[in-house]
Amino acid sequence: KQNLFISTSIYSGIHTVYWDLEYKSPKIQKDFVSMYYSAKNGYGPEALPGNYTIELFVLDEKLTTPFTVKIDPRWDIPLNDLEKQFNIANQVIDMINESQEKLTEMRSIIKQIKSYINLTEDNKAHQEIEILGNNIVKKILRIENNLYQNKIETSQDEINYARKWTN
């Protein structure tokens, strides 16, 4: 099972920490809009029923207490199915995170190329650098546009624009 860590340094006194039984959601681009996934209010998979332990570190002392997450008695779902769903949800989150990291890398490369082109304005080879750099930028943008639907503005835009991998 995965461990969930809520780590914080707080001042002395009485505090309450809430866990909504959800694991971390994927890290999404700021301009990401999906047809089925709200990046602003994203969520991760819910914790599986089972035994968990709370660990609290106070100075050099470690305090622990167990607690149990139980399945909602209204659900008639085998634990095995919940475990499969949890595992698939984590695989999807890993894929989303990887795609978002690649998107960040592509955008960073484009920014670096454009910056380099601007730095060479007074250079004799500027025109050649600009042509070559812009060709690379166009290829990267073509890849981005095949992976990422950047034209949608609301979740209802699936009617107007083709779905991409990230949607």
Side-chain angles (χ1 to χ4, degrees), residues 48-49 71 77-87:
L48 292 170
I71 192 165
I77 303 172
L79 180 59
N80 187 24
D81 287 350
L82 290 174
E83 289 171 345
K84 289 176 186 176
Q85 181 181 9
F86 180 81
N87 292 333

Side-chain angles (χ1 to χ4, degrees), residues 10 12 44 48 54 65 74 78-79 82-83 111 130 155 165:
I10 52 178
S12 63
L48 292 170
I54 297 171
T65 188
R74 298 171 293 180
L79 180 59
L82 290 174
E83 289 171 345
K111 185 177 179 182
E130 187 175 34
S155 60
W165 187 89

Side-chain angles (χ1 to χ4, degrees), residues 4-11 13-22 54-57 65 67:
L4 177 73
F5 296 100
I6 300 173
S7 176
T8 185
S9 295
I10 52 178
Y11 55 90
I14 297 174
H15 301 277
T16 303
V17 176
Y18 293 96
W19 177 34
D20 59 6
L21 299 178
E22 291 179 5
I54 297 171
E55 295 179 346
L56 176 65
F57 296 89
T65 188
F67 73 99

Side-chain angles (χ1 to χ4, degrees), residues 79-121:
L79 180 59
N80 187 24
D81 287 350
L82 290 174
E83 289 171 345
K84 289 176 186 176
Q85 181 181 9
F86 180 81
N87 292 333
I88 289 170
N90 280 301
Q91 289 174 6
V92 169
I93 285 174
D94 290 343
M95 289 170 42
I96 291 171
N97 283 334
E98 183 180 0
S99 73
Q100 297 298 299
E101 288 169 11
K102 297 302 179 193
L103 184 58
T104 299
E105 289 174 17
M106 289 188 295
R107 289 177 175 179
S108 174
I109 292 168
I110 289 171
K111 185 177 179 182
Q112 291 173 48
I113 291 171
K114 288 181 177 182
S115 176
Y116 186 74
I117 291 170
N118 289 336
L119 288 172
T120 63
E121 281 183 359

